[in-house]
Amino acid sequence: PSHTGWKARRQVESLFYIPAQRVLTLRDGWPRPFTDYKPGDPFAVREFSEKLRVLVEKEFGARASLFPQKGRLKQEFRDMLQKSVFAKFGLRIDKVHSQKRLVLGAGDQPLPYMVWSAGQREFVPLLLGLYWLMPPTKVPKRGEIEWVVLEELEMGLHPRAIDVLLLMTLELVARGYRVCLSTHSAQVLEAVWALRHLKENGGSARALLAVFDAPQTQTMIKLAQTVMAKNLAVYYFDPASGRTKDISELDPDSEEAGEDGWGGLTEFSGRANAAVARAVANARRGKTE
């Protein structure tokens, strides 16, 4: 397609896609342009990378500091991310001669991209994507975007960092986006399971925040209340049948294949628990297996 046709399609996009291969969008600490990729590379990666490049070059062009940045994200999110992802470092734009790069740190010796942890490399493109989706204005969302697809948010991240990202995903829902997550993490499904059961059993917004070990501030309580009024569903793609199943109940005692083990994500935990339970029972009876 022509460049003009490509621009026309961009103007009517209603979906923002954050791919699992987002770590590939940075080269030497800077987002790669659309044309930097090979023709056979996934379009979703190329498009996401181009959005990040435009964001940091135009919207952030006059700002050196990208994180923490007042007005970008709730203060509670910034505090939690500082602890779980960035430690004592911040994210900023650094200039080396005529070139720009993203670096971590606030002193005279910033950490370049090559020495970032795997989690930081995975997280920074995701953070910039969330920046784009959460404009620091009274307008809650990008008006033309209805759907956000986020692949494998858990990649490379510590469980505490996943907690924060799940909360930020709920912030997208609260802002009016329809969000679709793909995941290989039982932690993500545990969060959905907890939210569903708290909602069904009259649990409070404070109880939901406690699941994520989040601050019990009025801002966060309002977020939790908004999210608890939303509908959530979980689907499992069964490779044996080639069909998708609704396993939204996440019932471990279900007779439905795929739901009892949450699509295979809790099967190892179940086997480990069963093995340990048998060993403890046998030890108490003076037997060994």
Side-chain angles (χ1 to χ4, degrees):
S2 67
H3 181 66
T4 303
W6 176 64
K7 288 183 66 176
R9 287 199 305 277
R10 284 171 57 90
Q11 291 172 0
V12 295
E13 285 180 348
S14 60
L15 181 147
F16 188 81
Y17 198 107
I18 303 179
Q21 306 94 332
R22 52 190 169 268
V23 71
L24 300 178
T25 62
L26 298 181
R27 183 192 294 278
D28 298 327
W30 197 254
R32 298 165 62 185
F34 188 90
T35 54
D36 191 48
Y37 295 85
K38 297 178 181 179
D41 291 337
F43 176 82
V45 176
R46 302 172 71 185
E47 175 74 351
F48 179 64
S49 185
E50 175 67 13
K51 276 192 170 69
L52 298 189
R53 184 190 67 81
V54 172
L55 182 70
V56 295
E57 290 186 357
K58 294 186 177 181
E59 189 165 335
F60 292 151
R63 287 180 174 268
S65 176
L66 298 185
F67 181 89
Q69 185 184 126
K70 186 176 181 180
R72 287 280 181 180
L73 308 180
K74 289 179 168 57
Q75 179 66 53
E76 292 86 350
F77 289 153
R78 299 200 299 270
D79 291 344
M80 294 175 76
L81 288 174
Q82 195 79 65
K83 294 178 181 178
S84 62
V85 177
F86 291 108
K88 61 182 179 179
F89 302 108
L91 178 69
R92 63 184 177 91
I93 298 175
D94 187 45
K95 291 184 180 180
V96 179
H97 304 298
S98 61
Q99 293 185 332
K100 295 179 180 179
R101 61 177 183 168
L102 298 177
V103 297
L104 294 177
D108 296 332
Q109 295 182 326
L111 300 181
Y113 180 75
M114 287 298 293
V115 298
W116 294 7
S117 70
Q120 289 164 341
R121 293 187 184 192
E122 292 282 356
F123 179 75
V124 166
L126 180 51
L127 173 68
L128 295 176
L130 293 173
Y131 271 7
W132 190 85
L133 290 166
M134 302 179 185
T137 65
K138 294 182 179 180
V139 179
K141 60 192 286 285
R142 300 281 179 173
E144 71 276 16
I145 301 297
E146 296 296 328
W147 279 92
V148 176
V149 176
L150 175 51
E151 291 188 326
E152 300 178 32
L153 63 76
E154 69 274 6
M155 289 181 65
L157 298 180
H158 187 279
R160 290 179 182 174
I162 296 174
D163 280 346
V164 189
L165 266 179
L166 284 171
L167 276 173
M168 294 171 72
T169 302
L170 296 180
E171 166 81 0
L172 293 176
V173 174
R175 284 174 176 252
Y177 293 109
R178 302 181 72 180
V179 179
C180 177
L181 297 180
S182 69
T183 185
H184 293 146
S185 170
Q187 183 177 346
V188 174
L189 294 191
E190 286 171 0
V192 175
W193 178 86
L195 198 159
R196 287 180 61 88
H197 283 274
L198 286 172
K199 180 178 177 180
E200 292 172 2
N201 293 280
S204 66
R206 290 183 179 275
L208 179 60
L209 292 176
V211 171
F212 299 98
D213 194 24
Q216 301 275 338
T217 63
Q218 289 303 312
T219 299
M220 297 300 287
I221 290 172
K222 183 178 179 180
L223 168 62
Q225 289 172 336
T226 301
V227 168
M228 291 183 76
K230 303 289 185 177
N231 295 320
L232 292 89
V234 179
Y235 297 92
Y236 164 62
F237 177 75
D238 184 0
S241 65
R243 296 182 179 182
T244 300
K245 298 180 179 180
D246 186 339
I247 60 170
S248 299
E249 293 298 323
L250 297 173
D251 182 4
D253 295 323
S254 173
E255 297 181 359
E256 287 289 328
E259 184 171 354
D260 57 346
W262 290 7
L265 297 184
T266 62
E267 290 177 1
F268 180 83
S269 176
R271 293 194 301 268
N273 288 339
V276 171
R278 287 195 302 270
V280 170
N282 288 334
R284 288 175 177 174
R285 294 195 299 266
K287 298 180 179 180
T288 59
E289 287 187 322

